[in-house]
Coordinates of all heavy atoms in Angstrom, one line a residue:
M1 N 1.3 126.2 86.2 CA 1.6 125.1 87.1 C 2.2 125.6 88.4 O 3.1 126.4 88.4 CB 2.6 124.1 86.4 CG 2.9 122.9 87.2 SD 3.9 121.8 86.1 CE 4.2 120.5 87.3
T2 N 1.6 125.2 89.5 CA 2.1 125.6 90.8 C 3.2 124.8 91.3 O 3.2 123.5 91.3 CB 0.9 125.5 91.9 OG1 -0.2 126.1 91.4 CG2 1.4 126.1 93.2
P3 N 4.3 125.4 91.7 CA 5.5 124.6 92.1 C 5.2 123.9 93.4 O 4.4 124.4 94.3 CB 6.6 125.7 92.3 CG 5.9 127.0 92.4 CD 4.6 126.9 91.7
S4 N 5.8 122.7 93.6 CA 5.6 122.0 94.8 C 6.3 122.6 96.0 O 7.3 123.3 95.8 CB 6.1 120.5 94.7 OG 5.5 119.9 93.6
T5 N 5.7 122.5 97.2 CA 6.4 123.1 98.3 C 6.6 122.0 99.3 O 5.8 121.0 99.4 CB 5.6 124.2 99.0 OG1 4.3 123.7 99.3 CG2 5.4 125.4 98.0
Y6 N 7.6 122.1 100.1 CA 7.9 121.1 101.1 C 7.9 121.8 102.5 O 8.4 122.9 102.6 CB 9.2 120.4 100.9 CG 9.2 119.7 99.6 CD1 9.7 120.3 98.4 CD2 8.8 118.3 99.5 CE1 9.7 119.6 97.2 CE2 8.8 117.7 98.3 CZ 9.3 118.3 97.1 OH 9.3 117.6 95.9
P7 N 7.4 121.1 103.5 CA 7.4 121.7 104.9 C 8.9 121.9 105.4 O 9.8 121.1 105.0 CB 6.7 120.7 105.7 CG 6.8 119.4 105.0 CD 6.9 119.7 103.6
L8 N 9.1 123.0 106.1 CA 10.4 123.2 106.7 C 10.7 122.2 107.8 O 9.8 121.9 108.5 CB 10.5 124.6 107.3 CG 10.6 125.7 106.3 CD1 10.6 127.1 107.0 CD2 11.9 125.6 105.4
I9 N 11.8 121.6 107.8 CA 12.2 120.6 108.8 C 13.4 121.1 109.6 O 14.4 121.5 109.0 CB 12.5 119.2 108.1 CG1 11.3 118.7 107.3 CG2 12.9 118.2 109.1 CD1 11.6 117.5 106.5
S10 N 13.3 121.1 110.9 CA 14.4 121.5 111.7 C 15.6 120.6 111.6 O 15.4 119.4 111.3 CB 14.0 121.7 113.2 OG 13.8 120.4 113.7
N11 N 16.7 121.1 111.9 CA 17.9 120.3 111.9 C 17.8 119.1 112.9 O 18.2 118.0 112.6 CB 19.2 121.1 112.2 CG 20.4 120.3 111.8 OD1 20.6 119.8 110.7 ND2 21.3 120.2 112.8
E12 N 17.2 119.4 114.0 CA 17.1 118.3 115.0 C 16.2 117.2 114.5 O 16.4 116.0 114.7 CB 16.4 118.9 116.3 CG 17.4 119.9 117.1 CD 17.6 121.2 116.4 OE1 16.7 121.6 115.6 OE2 18.6 121.8 116.7
T13 N 15.1 117.6 113.8 CA 14.2 116.6 113.3 C 14.9 115.7 112.2 O 14.8 114.5 112.2 CB 12.9 117.2 112.7 OG1 12.2 118.0 113.7 CG2 12.0 116.2 112.1
R14 N 15.6 116.4 111.4 CA 16.3 115.7 110.3 C 17.3 114.8 110.9 O 17.4 113.6 110.5 CB 17.0 116.8 109.4 CG 17.6 116.2 108.1 CD 18.4 117.2 107.3 NE 17.7 118.5 107.2 CZ 18.3 119.7 107.3 NH1 19.6 119.7 107.5 NH2 17.6 120.8 107.1
M15 N 18.1 115.2 111.9 CA 19.1 114.4 112.5 C 18.5 113.2 113.2 O 19.1 112.1 113.3 CB 20.0 115.2 113.4 CG 20.8 116.3 112.7 SD 21.8 115.7 111.3 CE 23.2 115.1 112.2
G16 N 17.2 113.4 113.7 CA 16.5 112.3 114.4 C 16.1 111.2 113.5 O 15.7 110.1 114.0
T17 N 16.2 111.3 112.2 CA 15.8 110.3 111.2 C 17.0 109.4 110.9 O 16.9 108.5 110.0 CB 15.2 110.9 110.0 OG1 16.2 111.6 109.2 CG2 14.0 111.8 110.3
V18 N 18.1 109.7 111.5 CA 19.4 109.1 111.0 C 20.1 108.4 112.2 O 20.1 108.9 113.3 CB 20.3 110.2 110.4 CG1 21.6 109.5 109.9 CG2 19.6 110.9 109.3
E19 N 20.7 107.3 111.9 CA 21.5 106.6 112.9 C 22.9 106.6 112.4 O 23.2 106.4 111.2 CB 21.0 105.1 113.1 CG 21.8 104.3 114.1 CD 21.3 102.8 114.1 OE1 20.2 102.6 113.6 OE2 22.1 102.0 114.5
F20 N 23.9 106.7 113.4 CA 25.3 106.7 113.0 C 26.0 105.6 113.8 O 25.8 105.5 115.0 CB 25.9 108.0 113.3 CG 25.3 109.2 112.6 CD1 24.3 109.9 113.2 CD2 25.7 109.5 111.3 CE1 23.7 111.0 112.5 CE2 25.2 110.6 110.6 CZ 24.1 111.3 111.2
R21 N 26.6 104.7 113.1 CA 27.5 103.7 113.7 C 28.9 104.1 113.7 O 29.6 103.9 112.7 CB 27.3 102.3 113.0 CG 25.8 101.8 113.2 CD 25.6 100.5 112.5 NE 24.1 100.2 112.5 CZ 23.5 99.5 111.7 NH1 24.1 98.9 110.7 NH2 22.2 99.3 111.8
V22 N 29.3 104.8 114.7 CA 30.6 105.5 114.7 C 31.7 104.6 114.9 O 31.8 103.7 115.8 CB 30.6 106.6 115.9 CG1 31.9 107.3 115.9 CG2 29.4 107.5 115.7
H23 N 32.7 104.7 114.0 CA 34.0 104.0 114.1 C 35.0 104.9 114.8 O 34.9 106.1 114.7 CB 34.5 103.6 112.7 CG 35.6 102.6 112.7 ND1 36.9 103.0 112.9 CD2 35.6 101.3 112.6 CE1 37.7 101.9 112.8 NE2 36.9 100.8 112.7
E24 N 35.9 104.2 115.5 CA 36.9 105.0 116.2 C 37.8 105.8 115.3 O 38.4 106.8 115.7 CB 37.7 104.1 117.2 CG 38.5 103.0 116.4 CD 39.2 102.0 117.3 OE1 39.0 102.1 118.5 OE2 39.8 101.1 116.8
R25 N 38.0 105.4 114.1 CA 38.8 106.1 113.1 C 38.0 107.2 112.4 O 37.0 106.9 111.8 CB 39.4 105.1 112.1 CG 40.3 105.8 111.1 CD 40.7 104.9 109.9 NE 39.6 104.4 109.1 CZ 39.1 105.1 108.1 NH1 39.6 106.3 107.8 NH2 38.1 104.6 107.4
A26 N 38.5 108.4 112.5 CA 37.8 109.5 111.8 C 37.9 109.3 110.3 O 39.0 109.2 109.8 CB 38.3 110.8 112.2
H27 N 36.8 109.2 109.5 CA 36.9 109.1 108.1 C 37.1 110.4 107.4 O 37.4 110.4 106.2 CB 35.7 108.4 107.5 CG 34.4 109.1 107.7 ND1 33.8 109.3 108.9 CD2 33.6 109.8 106.8 CE1 32.7 110.0 108.7 NE2 32.6 110.4 107.4
I28 N 36.9 111.5 108.1 CA 37.3 112.8 107.6 C 38.2 113.5 108.6 O 37.8 113.5 109.8 CB 36.0 113.7 107.3 CG1 35.1 113.1 106.2 CG2 36.4 115.1 106.9 CD1 33.8 113.8 106.0
V29 N 39.3 114.0 108.1 CA 40.2 114.8 109.0 C 40.4 116.2 108.4 O 40.6 116.3 107.2 CB 41.5 114.0 109.1 CG1 42.5 114.9 109.9 CG2 41.4 112.6 109.7
V30 N 40.3 117.2 109.2 CA 40.4 118.6 108.8 C 41.7 119.1 109.4 O 41.9 119.1 110.6 CB 39.2 119.4 109.2 CG1 39.4 120.9 108.8 CG2 37.9 118.9 108.7
D31 N 42.6 119.6 108.5 CA 43.8 120.2 109.0 C 43.5 121.7 109.1 O 43.6 122.4 108.1 CB 44.9 120.0 107.9 CG 46.2 120.7 108.3 OD1 46.3 121.3 109.3 OD2 47.2 120.6 107.5
D32 N 43.2 122.1 110.3 CA 42.7 123.5 110.4 C 43.8 124.5 110.4 O 43.5 125.7 110.4 CB 41.8 123.6 111.6 CG 42.5 123.9 112.9 OD1 43.6 123.5 113.1 OD2 41.8 124.5 113.8
T33 N 45.0 124.1 110.3 CA 46.1 125.1 110.1 C 45.9 125.7 108.7 O 46.3 126.8 108.5 CB 47.5 124.5 110.2 OG1 47.6 123.4 109.2 CG2 47.7 123.9 111.6
R34 N 45.3 124.9 107.8 CA 45.1 125.5 106.4 C 43.8 126.3 106.4 O 43.6 127.0 105.4 CB 44.9 124.3 105.4 CG 46.3 123.5 105.3 CD 46.1 122.3 104.4 NE 47.3 121.5 104.5 CZ 48.2 121.5 103.5 NH1 48.1 122.3 102.4 NH2 49.3 120.8 103.6
C35 N 43.0 126.2 107.4 CA 41.7 127.0 107.4 C 41.9 128.4 107.8 O 41.1 129.3 107.5 CB 40.7 126.3 108.4 SG 40.3 124.6 108.0
R36 N 43.0 128.7 108.4 CA 43.2 130.1 109.0 C 43.3 131.1 107.9 O 43.0 132.3 108.1 CB 44.4 130.1 109.9 CG 44.2 129.3 111.1 CD 45.4 129.1 112.0 NE 45.1 128.0 112.9 CZ 44.4 128.0 114.0 NH1 43.8 129.2 114.3 NH2 44.2 127.0 114.8
D37 N 43.7 130.7 106.7 CA 43.8 131.7 105.6 C 42.6 131.6 104.7 O 42.6 132.2 103.6 CB 45.1 131.4 104.7 CG 46.3 131.7 105.5 OD1 46.3 132.6 106.4 OD2 47.3 131.0 105.3
C38 N 41.6 130.8 105.0 CA 40.4 130.6 104.2 C 39.4 131.7 104.5 O 38.9 131.8 105.6 CB 39.8 129.2 104.5 SG 38.3 128.9 103.5
S39 N 39.1 132.5 103.4 CA 38.1 133.5 103.6 C 36.7 133.0 103.2 O 35.7 133.6 103.6 CB 38.5 134.7 102.8 OG 38.6 134.4 101.5
V40 N 36.6 132.0 102.4 CA 35.3 131.5 101.9 C 34.6 130.6 102.9 O 33.4 130.8 103.1 CB 35.6 130.7 100.6 CG1 34.2 130.2 100.0 CG2 36.3 131.5 99.6
R41 N 35.2 129.7 103.5 CA 34.6 128.8 104.5 C 33.4 128.1 104.0 O 32.3 128.1 104.7 CB 34.4 129.6 105.8 CG 35.6 130.3 106.3 CD 35.7 130.5 107.7 NE 37.1 130.6 108.1 CZ 37.7 130.2 109.2 NH1 36.9 129.6 110.1 NH2 38.9 130.4 109.4
G42 N 33.5 127.6 102.8 CA 32.3 126.9 102.2 C 31.8 125.7 103.0 O 30.6 125.4 103.0
C43 N 32.7 125.1 103.7 CA 32.3 123.9 104.5 C 31.3 124.3 105.6 O 30.4 123.5 105.8 CB 33.5 123.3 105.2 SG 34.4 124.5 106.3
V44 N 31.4 125.5 106.1 CA 30.5 125.9 107.2 C 29.0 126.0 106.7 O 28.1 125.6 107.3 CB 30.9 127.2 107.8 CG1 30.0 127.7 108.9 CG2 32.3 127.0 108.4
T45 N 28.9 126.6 105.5 CA 27.5 126.8 105.0 C 27.0 125.6 104.2 O 25.8 125.4 104.1 CB 27.5 128.1 104.1 OG1 28.6 128.0 103.1 CG2 27.7 129.3 104.9
A46 N 27.9 124.8 103.7 CA 27.5 123.7 102.8 C 27.2 122.4 103.5 O 26.4 121.6 103.0 CB 28.6 123.5 101.7
C47 N 27.8 122.2 104.6 CA 27.6 120.9 105.3 C 26.2 120.7 105.8 O 25.7 121.5 106.6 CB 28.6 120.7 106.5 SG 28.3 119.2 107.4
P48 N 25.4 119.8 105.3 CA 24.0 119.6 105.7 C 23.8 119.2 107.2 O 22.7 119.3 107.7 CB 23.5 118.6 104.7 CG 24.6 117.8 104.4 CD 25.8 118.7 104.3
A49 N 24.9 118.7 107.8 CA 24.8 118.3 109.2 C 25.4 119.3 110.1 O 25.4 119.1 111.3 CB 25.5 116.9 109.4
N50 N 25.8 120.5 109.6 CA 26.4 121.5 110.5 C 27.5 121.1 111.3 O 27.6 121.3 112.5 CB 25.3 122.2 111.4 CG 24.2 122.9 110.6 OD1 24.5 123.4 109.5 ND2 23.0 122.9 111.1
L51 N 28.5 120.4 110.7 CA 29.6 119.8 111.5 C 30.8 120.6 111.5 O 31.8 120.3 112.2 CB 29.9 118.4 110.9 CG 28.8 117.4 111.0 CD1 29.2 116.0 110.4 CD2 28.3 117.2 112.4
F52 N 30.8 121.7 110.8 CA 32.0 122.6 110.8 C 31.7 123.9 111.5 O 30.7 124.6 111.2 CB 32.4 123.0 109.3 CG 32.9 121.8 108.5 CD1 32.1 120.9 107.9 CD2 34.3 121.6 108.4 CE1 32.5 119.9 107.2 CE2 34.8 120.6 107.7 CZ 33.9 119.7 107.1
V53 N 32.5 124.2 112.6 CA 32.2 125.4 113.4 C 33.4 126.3 113.4 O 34.5 125.8 113.9 CB 31.8 125.0 114.8 CG1 31.5 126.2 115.7 CG2 30.6 124.0 114.8
P54 N 33.3 127.5 113.0 CA 34.5 128.4 113.1 C 34.8 128.7 114.5 O 33.9 128.9 115.4 CB 34.0 129.7 112.4 CG 32.8 129.3 111.7 CD 32.2 128.1 112.4
T55 N 36.1 128.8 114.8 CA 36.5 129.1 116.2 C 37.0 130.6 116.2 O 37.4 131.1 115.2 CB 37.6 128.2 116.7 OG1 38.8 128.3 115.8 CG2 37.2 126.7 116.7
S56 N 37.1 131.1 117.4 CA 37.4 132.6 117.5 C 38.9 132.8 117.1 O 39.2 134.0 116.8 CB 37.2 133.0 118.9 OG 37.9 132.2 119.8
D57 N 39.7 131.8 117.1 CA 41.1 132.0 116.7 C 41.4 131.8 115.2 O 42.5 131.7 114.8 CB 42.0 131.2 117.5 CG 41.8 129.7 117.3 OD1 40.9 129.3 116.6 OD2 42.6 128.9 117.9
G58 N 40.3 131.6 114.4 CA 40.4 131.5 113.0 C 40.5 130.1 112.5 O 40.6 129.8 111.3
G59 N 40.4 129.1 113.4 CA 40.4 127.7 113.0 C 39.0 127.2 112.8 O 38.0 127.9 112.7
I60 N 38.9 125.9 112.6 CA 37.6 125.2 112.4 C 37.6 124.0 113.3 O 38.5 123.2 113.4 CB 37.5 124.7 110.9 CG1 37.3 125.8 109.9 CG2 36.5 123.6 110.8 CD1 35.9 126.4 109.9
L61 N 36.4 123.9 114.0 CA 36.2 122.7 114.8 C 35.3 121.8 114.0 O 34.3 122.2 113.4 CB 35.4 123.2 116.1 CG 35.4 122.3 117.3 CD1 36.8 122.0 117.8 CD2 34.5 122.9 118.4
F62 N 35.7 120.5 114.0 CA 35.0 119.5 113.2 C 34.8 118.2 113.9 O 35.7 117.8 114.6 CB 35.8 119.2 111.8 CG 35.1 118.1 111.1 CD1 33.9 118.3 110.4 CD2 35.7 116.9 111.0 CE1 33.3 117.3 109.7 CE2 35.1 115.8 110.3 CZ 33.9 116.1 109.6
N63 N 33.6 117.6 113.8 CA 33.4 116.3 114.4 C 32.8 115.4 113.4 O 31.7 115.7 112.8 CB 32.4 116.5 115.6 CG 32.1 115.2 116.4 OD1 32.5 114.2 115.9 ND2 31.6 115.3 117.5
Y64 N 33.4 114.3 113.1 CA 33.0 113.4 112.0 C 31.8 112.5 112.4 O 31.2 111.8 111.5 CB 34.2 112.5 111.6 CG 34.6 111.5 112.6 CD1 34.1 110.2 112.5 CD2 35.4 111.8 113.7 CE1 34.4 109.2 113.5 CE2 35.7 110.8 114.7 CZ 35.2 109.5 114.5 OH 35.5 108.6 115.5
E65 N 31.4 112.4 113.7 CA 30.5 111.4 114.2 C 29.1 111.4 113.6 O 28.5 110.4 113.6 CB 30.5 111.4 115.7 CG 31.9 111.1 116.3 CD 31.8 111.0 117.8 OE1 30.8 111.2 118.4 OE2 32.9 110.8 118.4
Q66 N 28.6 112.6 113.2 CA 27.3 112.6 112.6 C 27.3 113.0 111.1 O 26.5 113.7 110.6 CB 26.4 113.6 113.4 CG 26.2 113.1 114.8 CD 25.2 114.0 115.6 OE1 25.4 115.2 115.6 NE2 24.2 113.4 116.1
C67 N 28.3 112.5 110.4 CA 28.5 112.8 109.0 C 27.6 112.0 108.1 O 27.5 110.8 108.3 CB 30.0 112.6 108.7 SG 30.3 112.7 106.9
F68 N 26.9 112.6 107.2 CA 26.1 111.9 106.2 C 26.9 111.3 105.1 O 26.3 110.6 104.2 CB 25.1 112.9 105.5 CG 24.1 113.5 106.5 CD1 23.8 114.9 106.4 CD2 23.5 112.7 107.4 CE1 22.8 115.4 107.3 CE2 22.5 113.3 108.3 CZ 22.2 114.6 108.2
E69 N 28.2 111.5 105.0 CA 29.0 111.0 103.9 C 28.6 111.5 102.5 O 28.7 110.7 101.6 CB 29.1 109.4 104.0 CG 29.6 108.9 105.3 CD 29.3 107.4 105.5 OE1 29.3 106.7 104.5 OE2 29.0 107.0 106.7
C70 N 28.2 112.7 102.5 CA 27.7 113.2 101.2 C 28.9 113.8 100.3 O 28.8 113.9 99.1 CB 26.7 114.4 101.4 SG 27.4 115.8 102.2
G71 N 30.0 114.1 101.0 CA 31.2 114.5 100.2 C 31.2 116.0 99.9 O 32.1 116.5 99.2
T72 N 30.2 116.7 100.3 CA 30.1 118.2 99.9 C 31.2 119.0 100.4 O 31.8 119.8 99.7 CB 28.7 118.7 100.4 OG1 27.7 117.9 100.0 CG2 28.5 120.2 100.0
C73 N 31.6 118.7 101.7 CA 32.7 119.5 102.2 C 34.0 119.4 101.4 O 34.7 120.4 101.2 CB 33.0 119.1 103.7 SG 33.3 117.3 103.9
Y74 N 34.2 118.2 100.9 CA 35.4 117.9 100.1 C 35.4 118.7 98.8 O 36.4 119.2 98.3 CB 35.6 116.4 99.9 CG 36.8 116.0 99.3 CD1 38.0 116.1 100.0 CD2 36.9 115.5 98.0 CE1 39.2 115.7 99.4 CE2 38.1 115.1 97.4 CZ 39.2 115.2 98.1 OH 40.4 114.8 97.6
M75 N 34.1 118.8 98.2 CA 34.0 119.5 97.0 C 34.1 121.0 97.1 O 34.6 121.7 96.2 CB 32.6 119.1 96.4 CG 32.4 117.7 96.1 SD 33.5 117.0 94.8 CE 32.9 117.8 93.4
V76 N 33.6 121.5 98.2 CA 33.6 123.0 98.3 C 34.8 123.6 99.0 O 35.1 124.8 99.0 CB 32.3 123.5 99.1 CG1 31.1 123.1 98.4 CG2 32.4 123.1 100.5
C77 N 35.6 122.7 99.6 CA 36.8 123.2 100.3 C 37.8 123.9 99.3 O 38.1 123.4 98.3 CB 37.5 122.1 101.0 SG 39.0 122.7 101.9
N78 N 38.2 125.1 99.7 CA 39.1 125.8 98.7 C 40.5 125.9 99.1 O 41.3 126.7 98.7 CB 38.5 127.3 98.5 CG 38.6 128.1 99.8 OD1 38.5 127.5 100.9 ND2 38.8 129.4 99.7
A79 N 41.0 124.9 100.0 CA 42.4 124.9 100.4 C 42.9 123.4 100.1 O 42.3 122.5 100.7 CB 42.6 125.2 101.8
E80 N 43.8 123.3 99.3 CA 44.4 122.0 99.0 C 44.8 121.3 100.2 O 45.6 121.8 101.0 CB 45.6 122.2 98.0 CG 46.2 120.9 97.5 CD 45.5 120.4 96.3 OE1 44.9 121.2 95.5 OE2 45.6 119.2 96.0
G81 N 44.3 120.1 100.5 CA 44.8 119.3 101.6 C 44.2 119.6 102.9 O 44.5 119.0 103.9
A82 N 43.2 120.5 103.0 CA 42.6 120.8 104.3 C 41.7 119.7 104.8 O 41.6 119.4 105.9 CB 41.8 122.1 104.2
I83 N 41.1 119.0 103.8 CA 40.2 117.9 104.1 C 40.7 116.6 103.6 O 41.0 116.5 102.3 CB 38.8 118.2 103.6 CG1 38.2 119.4 104.4 CG2 37.9 116.9 103.8 CD1 36.8 119.7 103.9
T84 N 40.9 115.6 104.4 CA 41.2 114.3 104.0 C 40.0 113.4 104.1 O 39.4 113.4 105.3 CB 42.4 113.7 104.8 OG1 43.5 114.6 104.7 CG2 42.8 112.3 104.3
W85 N 39.5 112.9 103.1 CA 38.2 112.2 103.0 C 38.3 110.8 102.6 O 39.0 110.4 101.7 CB 37.3 112.9 102.0 CG 35.8 112.9 102.3 CD1 35.1 113.9 102.9 CD2 34.9 111.8 102.0 NE1 33.7 113.5 102.9 CE2 33.6 112.2 102.4 CE3 35.0 110.6 101.4 CZ2 32.5 111.4 102.2 CZ3 33.9 109.8 101.2 CH2 32.7 110.2 101.6
S86 N 37.6 109.9 103.4 CA 37.5 108.5 103.0 C 36.2 107.9 103.5 O 35.6 108.6 104.4 CB 38.7 107.7 103.5 OG 38.7 107.7 104.9
Y87 N 35.8 106.8 103.1 CA 34.6 106.2 103.6 C 34.9 105.5 105.0 O 36.1 105.0 105.1 CB 34.0 105.2 102.7 CG 33.2 105.8 101.6 CD1 33.7 105.8 100.3 CD2 32.0 106.4 101.8 CE1 33.0 106.4 99.2 CE2 31.3 107.1 100.8 CZ 31.8 107.0 99.5 OH 31.1 107.7 98.5
P88 N 34.0 105.4 105.9 CA 34.2 104.7 107.1 C 34.4 103.2 106.8 O 34.1 102.7 105.8 CB 32.9 104.9 107.9 CG 32.2 106.0 107.3 CD 32.6 106.0 105.8
E89 N 35.0 102.5 107.8 CA 35.1 101.1 107.7 C 33.8 100.4 107.5 O 32.7 100.9 107.9 CB 35.7 100.5 109.1 CG 37.0 101.2 109.5 CD 38.2 100.8 108.6 OE1 38.2 99.7 108.1 OE2 39.1 101.6 108.4
G90 N 33.8 99.2 106.9 CA 32.5 98.5 106.6 C 31.7 98.3 107.8 O 32.2 98.0 108.9
G91 N 30.4 98.5 107.7 CA 29.5 98.3 108.8 C 29.4 99.5 109.7 O 28.6 99.5 110.7
H92 N 30.1 100.6 109.4 CA 30.1 101.8 110.2 C 29.6 103.0 109.3 O 29.5 102.9 108.1 CB 31.5 102.1 110.8 CG 31.9 101.1 111.8 ND1 32.5 99.9 111.4 CD2 31.8 101.0 113.1 CE1 32.8 99.2 112.5 NE2 32.4 99.9 113.5
G93 N 29.3 104.1 110.0 CA 28.9 105.3 109.3 C 27.4 105.5 109.4 O 26.8 105.1 110.3
V94 N 26.9 106.2 108.4 CA 25.5 106.7 108.5 C 24.6 105.6 108.1 O 24.8 104.8 107.2 CB 25.3 107.9 107.6 CG1 25.5 107.6 106.1 CG2 24.0 108.5 107.8
V95 N 23.4 105.5 108.8 CA 22.3 104.6 108.4 C 21.1 105.4 108.4 O 20.7 106.0 109.4 CB 22.2 103.5 109.5 CG1 21.0 102.5 109.1 CG2 23.5 102.7 109.7
F96 N 20.4 105.5 107.3 CA 19.2 106.3 107.1 C 18.0 105.4 107.5 O 17.9 104.3 107.1 CB 19.1 106.8 105.7 CG 20.0 107.9 105.4 CD1 21.2 107.6 104.8 CD2 19.7 109.2 105.7 CE1 22.1 108.6 104.5 CE2 20.6 110.2 105.4 CZ 21.8 109.9 104.8
H97 N 17.1 106.0 108.3 CA 15.9 105.4 108.6 C 14.8 105.8 107.6 O 14.8 106.9 107.1 CB 15.4 105.7 110.0 CG 16.3 105.2 111.1 ND1 15.9 104.8 112.3 CD2 17.7 104.9 111.1 CE1 16.9 104.4 113.0 NE2 18.0 104.4 112.3
T98 N 13.8 105.0 107.5 CA 12.7 105.3 106.6 C 11.4 105.8 107.4 O 10.5 106.3 106.8 CB 12.3 104.1 105.7 OG1 12.0 103.0 106.5 CG2 13.4 103.8 104.7
S99 N 11.4 105.6 108.7 CA 10.2 106.0 109.4 C 10.4 107.3 110.1 O 11.5 107.8 110.1 CB 9.9 104.9 110.5 OG 11.0 104.8 111.3
Ligands
SF4_1 S1 30.6 114.6 104.0 FE1 28.7 115.9 104.0 S2 27.8 115.6 106.1 FE2 29.9 114.8 106.2 S3 31.1 116.5 106.9 FE3 31.2 116.6 104.7 S4 29.5 118.0 104.1 FE4 29.2 117.4 106.2
SF4_2 S1 36.5 125.4 103.2 FE1 38.3 124.1 103.6 S2 40.0 125.5 104.1 FE2 38.1 126.6 104.2 S3 37.5 126.5 106.4 FE3 36.5 124.8 105.3 S4 37.9 123.1 105.6 FE4 39.0 124.9 106.0

């Protein structure tokens, strides 16, 4: 049996299929003072929207506005309290398109 294959999709194309209704309150907050001792940095490789960017001073730059709300960053973070996670206010957040 031949395994199914799927075409590679660029991050730009993937993000173009999604709409975000951004609320002024960040639903994810990253305390990057806890990131400075983190050697794993799982959030950087695991976030499907590439929203975690390491900075040259050892911190992490994060922007919640294009978040898929998948919760992966919260699951892979290896520092207690570095990520505070909640859902956005009703009517806000990610909206997936089908076309
Ligand atoms: S919830 Fe998912 S998409 Fe949002 S920041 Fe975390 S890993 Fe990235
Ligand atoms: S995994 Fe957690 S502690 Fe490590 S860099 Fe990411 S948010 Fe910071």
Side-chain angles (χ1 to χ4, degrees):
M1 185 174 173
T2 306
S4 299
T5 57
Y6 297 92
L8 288 176
I9 300 173
S10 70
N11 192 53
E12 289 73 21
T13 300
R14 189 184 315 139
M15 297 304 277
T17 67
V18 182
E19 176 187 340
F20 300 93
R21 296 180 187 154
V22 179
H23 193 275
E24 60 188 4
R25 179 186 67 82
H27 65 288
I28 296 176
V29 177
V30 180
D31 176 1
D32 87 330
T33 60
R34 295 174 188 259
C35 300
R36 294 174 196 281
D37 294 327
C38 176
S39 58
V40 180
R41 306 212 157 211
C43 59
V44 176
T45 51
C47 175
N50 294 333
L51 299 181
F52 292 82
V53 178
T55 59
S56 57
D57 64 355
I60 285 283
L61 196 61
F62 173 73
N63 185 346
Y64 72 96
E65 296 183 359
Q66 293 186 308
C67 171
F68 294 139
E69 300 165 35
C70 65
T72 307
C73 54
Y74 190 68
M75 298 298 289
V76 302
C77 180
N78 65 329
E80 184 86 24
I83 293 179
T84 305
W85 207 99
S86 62
Y87 283 107
E89 304 290 330
H92 294 83
V94 65
V95 179
F96 287 95
H97 291 212
T98 54
S99 58

